[in-house]
Amino acid sequence: MSLIRALSKELQARSDESLRALFSARPDLISPGVPDFAALAARASGRVSVQRALERLNRPQMQVLETLHLCTNADTGHSASAAMLKKLINGSSVAAVDRLLHSLQELALVHRADPPHGATPAAAKQRHYLPVGSLKDVIGIYPAGLGRSYTELVRLQPAFAQRVVQLVGELHRAGASISPATTPMEAALSLQHWTATPESLQQILATAPDRTAALLARFGNWAMGAVPQAQRRASVLHEGADVGPVDWLLARGLLVPLDAAHVELPHSVGVSLRGGFVIENFSLTPPVPRLGNTSAGLRRNAALGAIAETLRLVGEVLYTVREQPLATLRSGGVGVREMKRLADSLRMEVHEAGVLAELCGMAGLLRLDVDSSAWVQPPQLEWLSLPRQEQWLWLVNAWLASERAPSLVGQPVNAAAPGPAGHRGPAGTTINALSAEAQRPDAPVVRKRVLEILHELTLEAVAPDGQAPVLDAAAVLERAEWTQPRMARRFSSLIRGILAEAEMLGLIGSGALSQLGAAIAAEQPDDALGILGEHLPAALQHVLLQADLTAVAPGYLDPELSERLLTMATAEGQGPATIYRFSVTSVRRALDAGQDAAAMLDFLRQHSATAIPQPLQYLIEDTAARHSRLRVGAAASFIQSEDEAALLELLNAPAAAGLGLVRIAPTVVVSHAAPRETAQALRGLGLAPVLEEAAATIVRLRRSTPAPGSGRPVYTAPRTAPPEADIEAQLAVLRANGSRAPGSGAHPPAAPGSEEATQLGLETLLKAIRLRQRVIMNVVDSMGNATRETVVPVAVNGGRVRVFDPDKEIERVLSIHRIIDVEATEELFQ
């Protein structure tokens, strides 16, 4: 029976509760919905769906599934039971393997099958299983890290097939206990039998050169390796010569050359090296890392300090960008020169500035202005007026939900790992801030899982009272590789950056998961807000003025106070205790911005914990006295409004910076842009200006609804299960269309073009390729005419199938979408 048909029958016999659990674990099976159990089985057997399901399996489940794949054959109906798998998995038990097989059956990755032909009565009473048909394509050619069999290598490697008979003959003449052969397949079977047991392999390796065991140990987890000139070095059997371990192994067929630079360790050799087991190390419990400890107080202080510093730096980024937006490159992203300017203003390294810019971008605090091709601050940004703990939660929610990886900024563009839409960067280039190369669609899932692992390890660790376990990337990655081994590569590429970003946001403090991080990992943001509101000091409203013309901020300053100080002084140093230095240049900058000496001194008196030093007062008054009182400038149009508040908002709007606005009276603003250009720009800001006459130089401004700023990001955890309503609706459809009792007759034919028909046809093709079996295809040409053809399928790839027509003795390539149905025949192609 077809594997898809067998799975359909099994799914139909399940209870509603079992189907609910299946849909929760594999939500893609009902997205979109399926009409019946046959379509459900076809989708569950699809390559993409199986690949997604495997990404959620832990290491013991994957080990049992790979072992089942290796010791079963759906073409011959050779199934396997827990007792059979237990013999191939070192350290396992029948009960443990049976539980894991049942969990895989619940996920529709394996299904029950009849016992293999010739099974003993005792074995026939055991539960036997077969994996879904697409598992081989998803797992790849090296399941469990083992290579292919000698027979498969002979069939797929022509160069090896040409020399394998000679190799076996030379080994036989040299005294090896191997049977001679006359055909490549007989030689492959001889090599397979020669290396079939650990004892026989140890006898073969007894005369091996030094370092051979160390070389073979490097193939412990993967069957393929790189060897220069592999095919040339395997051409002669070296006897009595001083040869290295690679030449010695190649000459005896213990390594098989694949091409000029790669070799493969055959399956039987790999299993014998593992002591006759497919899985050498099996454990139902995850590894427990050895962790250090830090004090809870140090962890809290480090987390709070990181949060305060991040909020301060984000405020400085916004001020810097308001003064001068970040220009983008023609290829996208912000270039190194612009990031160097931002880094200099923030007094930090370029990479750190890039991470901050990415954080601001993903939180909506910066947005790309399409007109100027520059990153600017949105108008009326709500974030600036929020309490500090809500500002922090805004950033954390945006970070959790974003599909960008800020820590990739500055790293080389990996040509072998393209970004979104297959983008590949030129060799030698690096990832720019706010560019497409930093996009990682799986980032939210990986972040969520990393926080969960941090929480798990923290709860499992036994730390003394008042201590917290220190977690590093190695410990988190080790646990991630156990819980989701198929996702290990994604974790390894992002985990260090995620931990660094989490530490910057205070989710980690002094290397340990903070209370805030634990609350976020448990999806309790309100608890995190309460904790932060209790411990995070309020923003300061004062500075300490000193006689050396500096103002010292003794902590995190209120953003408005910091911004006002930056207009009349230059920031120096790093950290929350920022030093602001006053100079003639900085005071003149404030005067140019419209301030006067009296206003500046009054501001400093209000926000200084000390009296204004006399040198500073002299500096401000003297610079103001020499500052020009008359100004001459060009103006192409006027903007007049009785609403002084509207004009003030317009002057402070970054998007209006291109108009060159200058206020010359409480109700009048001048612009260097032409009247029509000015009116058009104001309409783009959500305002309603009126152009009084065609040649007018006055634009009257009416109050309009202000343009909305960026909304607060609300984090929603990546959905791991479909809504309950969708599950119940799908169950109702399945039960309505599957009322016929299982096993009450033959399955109805699949509808042409349906998902079931496609999967059944693909299953038939793949089986025919493995068995070199003829099939009858119903093929439609470009004119819509259908013809039935008897062909031998050779390969399926990229939506096309390559077939051999034995009657015409030619090969052809057909598009799968033109094949209506495929029917297998019993006739084999010789």
Side-chain angles (χ1 to χ4, degrees), residues 612-627:
I612 299 178
Q614 196 175 54
L616 178 58
Q617 183 173 348
Y618 285 169
L619 173 67
I620 295 175
E621 292 176 346
D622 187 55
T623 305
R626 296 197 305 268
H627 193 262

Side-chain angles (χ1 to χ4, degrees), residues 299-311:
R299 175 188 63 177
R300 182 184 64 251
N301 293 340
L304 294 176
I307 292 172
E309 180 68 359
T310 298
L311 294 178

Side-chain angles (χ1 to χ4, degrees), residues 452-533:
E452 291 173 348
I453 291 174
L454 288 170
H455 199 201
E456 292 170 8
L457 293 175
T458 300
L459 294 177
E460 293 173 7
V462 179
D465 292 340
Q467 299 285 307
V470 175
L471 305 165
D472 57 8
V476 178
L477 186 58
E478 184 181 36
R479 176 59 60 91
E481 289 176 343
W482 192 90
T483 56
Q484 292 176 278
R486 297 278 296 187
M487 291 274 288
R489 186 174 181 182
R490 302 186 196 178
F491 276 102
S492 62
S493 64
L494 295 176
I495 191 167
R496 287 170 179 79
I498 288 176
L499 292 178
E501 294 158 14
E503 190 159 8
M504 184 178 70
L505 291 169
L507 304 177
I508 296 175
S510 191
L513 185 70
S514 66
Q515 289 181 299
L516 299 170
I520 294 298
E523 298 183 16
Q524 297 172 341
D526 291 338
D527 293 349
L529 275 180
I531 295 171
L532 190 59

Side-chain angles (χ1 to χ4, degrees), residues 112-454:
R112 294 285 298 276
D114 295 330
H117 179 71
T120 63
K125 295 180 181 179
Q126 299 171 355
R127 291 189 291 266
H128 288 73
Y129 299 88
L130 281 173
V132 293
S134 61
L135 184 65
K136 180 177 181 180
D137 293 333
V138 176
I139 287 182
I141 62 174
Y142 298 136
L146 293 171
R148 294 165 288 185
S149 65
Y150 278 108
T151 54
E152 192 171 3
L153 288 169
V154 162
R155 184 167 57 87
L156 299 176
Q157 297 293 323
F160 180 63
Q162 291 176 3
R163 59 176 290 271
V164 66
V165 175
Q166 177 187 356
L167 184 149
V168 170
E170 291 177 353
L171 288 172
H172 180 72
R173 289 191 295 271
S177 56
I178 187 172
S179 303
T182 57
T183 65
M185 195 57 66
E186 288 180 0
L189 293 173
S190 295
L191 285 170
Q192 202 159 295
H193 180 73
W194 186 47
T195 58
T197 64
E199 294 76 17
S200 60
L201 184 62
Q202 288 301 319
Q203 291 180 359
I204 297 170
L205 296 176
T207 59
D210 295 338
R211 306 187 307 279
T212 302
L215 175 65
L216 290 174
R218 298 172 63 180
F219 290 89
N221 296 321
W222 198 244
M224 189 177 70
V227 174
Q229 299 181 347
Q231 290 177 338
R232 290 180 55 190
R233 298 167 72 175
S235 58
V236 180
L237 179 64
H238 300 277
E239 281 296 341
D242 184 15
V243 297
V246 174
D247 295 319
W248 193 89
L249 292 169
L250 285 168
R252 284 156 182 79
L254 302 181
L255 288 179
V256 175
L258 301 179
D259 51 36
H262 296 89
V263 297
E264 182 174 324
L265 189 77
H267 177 86
S268 58
V269 181
V271 172
S272 295
L273 285 173
R274 297 181 182 185
F277 299 104
V278 170
I279 304 299
E280 196 171 8
N281 300 308
F282 178 83
S283 175
L284 291 173
T285 58
V288 179
R290 299 182 62 181
L291 306 175
N293 295 314
T294 186
S295 68
L298 184 59
R299 175 188 63 177
R300 182 184 64 251
N301 293 340
L304 294 176
I307 292 172
E309 180 68 359
T310 298
L311 294 178
R312 180 186 71 82
L313 290 172
V314 168
E316 286 202 27
V317 169
L318 297 181
Y319 171 78
T320 303
V321 173
R322 276 200 304 274
E323 292 294 309
Q324 184 175 349
L326 292 174
T328 60
L329 300 170
R330 294 175 63 182
S331 58
V334 180
V336 176
R337 182 176 299 177
E338 279 288 275
M339 291 312 304
K340 180 68 166 58
R341 177 179 63 81
L342 179 63
D344 290 342
S345 67
L346 299 176
R347 305 166 303 284
M348 59 171 47
E349 297 295 329
V350 174
H351 170 72
E352 297 172 344
V355 173
L356 272 174
E358 283 280 348
L359 182 62
C360 293
M362 64 172 58
L365 307 184
L366 297 179
R367 66 172 175 81
L368 182 62
D369 181 40
V370 295
D371 294 327
S372 61
S373 296
W375 287 86
V376 300
Q377 177 188 309
Q380 301 180 359
L381 184 60
E382 182 189 3
W383 186 87
L384 295 171
S385 60
L386 292 177
R388 299 178 71 196
Q389 61 267 28
E390 293 190 26
Q391 288 182 337
W392 169 81
L393 186 60
W394 179 310
L395 297 176
V396 169
N397 282 339
W399 176 73
L400 289 171
S402 176
E403 294 186 351
R404 298 187 62 79
S407 293
L408 294 181
V409 172
Q411 295 187 14
V413 176
N414 186 1
H423 178 78
R424 296 178 184 270
T429 60
T430 58
I431 297 176
N432 291 320
L434 303 170
S435 65
E437 287 83 357
Q439 195 81 7
R440 291 294 183 274
D442 56 349
V445 176
V446 176
R447 284 193 193 99
K448 180 177 184 293
R449 188 67 193 120
V450 167
L451 287 179
E452 291 173 348
I453 291 174
L454 288 170

